């Protein structure tokens, strides 16, 4: 994985983590409108990053949630535990 | 249903070989207060949760624990991957190597296999949530013990992230307990 790809993936991981944290927070604070706005803003940003990342480096999600144009790309990128 | 995302929740990038540390950290993979016990506990208990909030919290934290299970397995593998049999033997990990080589197996730091006896799942929301609160505190303590024994900053960084998540989970379970108790009190007639 190139340094450029690793940086793009890390930016995406940070956005996903924000989603995890806000999701758990909203589970117990569903009335918090500011947190809800924040969640939706990050969700939109995440979708943008996901599309840009996948167009360059291939699918990020399995089972049809990411496309695999012209050939099977799922197994072409390194697995998460191989990024040392 | 779960969808796999081809990334960790938080980066694990360990380049320094340390089989001794690997086999201490492995307890968070398959030990009593580890991520597998946590995930299986919450994902099993969620079926008996009575409120929208408690179902969501158990489901979502149980899912996040699976991502931690993957992070811990990645740490173990990266710490072991380039070790020679001599290094492994010198680190006191020869017994593990004899049974598993450098494979990642679910046991505690002493080699005791994972068991479902590490957690309960009852049709009792108050009992379940108290167990969950205790589980998060025990996992936090274990990460602190591991951090005290670690010297590689890359290892400590990932352990600190995992420790911090236990603190957040404890907080969410506490809020869930309060709201479940309020919902139960509303239903009581004297
Ligand atoms: Fe946790």
């Amino acid at each position: 994985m190139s340094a450029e790809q690793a940086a793009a993936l890390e930016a995406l991981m940070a956005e996903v983590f924000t989603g995890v944290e806000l999701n758990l927070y909203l589970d117990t604070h569903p009335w918090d409108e500011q947190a809800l706005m924040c969640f939706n803003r990050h969700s939109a940003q995440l979708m943008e990053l996901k599309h840009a990342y996948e167009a360059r480096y291939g699918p990020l999600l399995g089972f049809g949630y990411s496309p695999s144009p012209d050939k099977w790309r799922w197994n072409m990128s390194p697995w998460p535990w191989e990024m040392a | 249903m779960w969808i796999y995302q081809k990334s960790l929740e938080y980066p694990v990038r360990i380049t320094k070989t340390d089989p001794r540390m690997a086999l201490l950290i492995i307890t968070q993979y398959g030990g009593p207060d580890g991520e597998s016990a946590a995930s299986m506990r919450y994902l099993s208990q969620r079926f008996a949760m009575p409120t929208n909030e408690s179902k969501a919290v158990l489901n979502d934290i149980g899912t996040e624990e699976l991502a931690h299970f993957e992070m811990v397995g990645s740490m173990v593998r990266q710490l072991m991957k380039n070790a020679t049999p001599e290094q492994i033997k010198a680190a006191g990990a020869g017994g593990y190597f004899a049974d598993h080589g450098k494979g990642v197996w679910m046991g505690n730091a002493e080699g005791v296999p994972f068991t479902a006896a590490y957690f309960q799942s009852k049709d009792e929301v108050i009992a379940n949530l108290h167990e969950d609160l205790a589980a998060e505190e025990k996992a936090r303590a274990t990460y602190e013990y591991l951090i005290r024994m670690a010297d590689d900053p890359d290892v400590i960084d990932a352990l600190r992230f995992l420790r911090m998540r236990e603190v957040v989970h404890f907080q969410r379970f506490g809020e869930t307990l309060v709201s479940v108790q309020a919902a139960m009190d509303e239903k009581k007639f004297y």
Side-chain angles (χ1 to χ4, degrees):
Chain A
M1 185 177 279
S2 68
E4 201 185 348
Q5 182 179 356
L9 184 61
E10 262 192 45
L12 192 133
M13 286 162 69
E15 208 58 58
V16 171
F17 175 68
T18 308
V20 170
E21 181 68 328
L22 283 167
N23 195 141
L24 293 189
Y25 175 83
L26 281 160
D27 281 348
T28 57
H29 303 75
W31 59 84
D32 188 333
E33 280 174 29
Q34 221 186 327
L36 183 65
M37 271 166 54
C38 197
F39 177 85
N40 285 314
R41 200 168 57 239
H42 279 282
S43 173
Q45 266 167 26
L46 173 58
M47 286 307 115
E48 256 176 54
L49 280 179
K50 176 184 182 285
H51 285 131
Y53 182 90
E54 290 181 329
R56 282 196 81 158
Y57 303 114
L60 203 62
L61 298 178
F63 299 163
Y65 278 82
S66 297
S68 195
D70 62 66
K71 62 177 166 186
W72 186 240
R73 296 178 179 277
W74 179 243
N75 53 15
M76 285 172 65
S77 57
W79 288 87
W81 54 90
E82 298 171 336
M83 314 267 235
Chain B
M1 157 117 216
W2 276 266
I3 311 299
Y4 187 69
Q5 177 174 308
K6 214 169 169 183
S7 80
L8 298 178
E9 188 187 1
Y10 182 85
V12 172
R13 260 192 234 101
I14 300 165
T15 49
K16 226 179 105 200
T17 297
D18 188 347
R20 195 190 308 266
M21 202 61 218
L23 294 190
L24 297 172
I25 290 173
I26 208 165
T27 196
Q28 286 304 84
Y29 192 74
D33 305 313
E35 302 293 352
S36 49
S39 181
M40 297 302 109
R41 176 188 297 111
Y42 309 146
L43 292 180
S44 299
Q45 290 180 354
R46 73 193 158 135
F47 295 107
M49 285 293 141
T51 61
N52 289 343
E53 175 180 328
S54 56
K55 286 173 219 174
V57 167
L58 276 271
N59 182 80
D60 297 344
I61 295 181
T63 298
E64 189 185 353
E65 307 290 16
L66 278 180
H68 299 165
F69 179 63
E70 183 182 40
M71 277 182 67
V72 175
S74 300
M75 295 180 80
V76 172
R77 180 65 182 176
Q78 290 178 14
L79 285 163
M80 286 281 265
K81 195 178 56 179
N82 296 320
T84 64
E86 291 72 39
Q87 279 177 314
I88 291 172
K89 229 173 114 182
Y96 185 92
F97 189 71
D99 285 330
H100 313 290
K102 297 177 199 171
V104 179
W105 178 72
M106 286 172 71
N108 78 352
E110 311 266 56
V112 178
F114 178 78
T115 164
Y118 288 151
F119 61 89
Q120 250 296 16
S121 178
K122 296 184 97 73
D123 199 1
E124 292 286 335
V125 56
I126 300 298
N128 285 341
L129 286 173
H130 276 92
E131 174 175 329
D132 303 343
L133 284 158
E136 293 297 334
E137 279 295 284
K138 289 186 280 183
R140 177 193 54 73
T142 301
Y143 280 120
E144 285 170 14
Y145 304 151
L146 290 170
I147 289 165
R148 278 194 235 160
M149 290 188 283
D151 47 23
D152 179 351
D154 294 334
V155 171
I156 293 171
D157 183 55
L159 290 173
R160 277 204 187 127
F161 171 84
L162 291 163
R163 178 200 169 277
M164 178 196 78
R165 298 311 295 159
E166 311 302 359
V167 175
V168 171
H169 293 171
F170 179 81
Q171 182 70 30
R172 299 287 93 89
F173 282 131
E175 292 154 0
T176 307
L177 179 63
V178 169
S179 82
V180 162
Q181 266 166 336
M184 288 169 87
D185 287 344
E186 264 178 40
K187 279 193 194 149
K188 271 183 197 151
F189 299 98
Y190 296 100

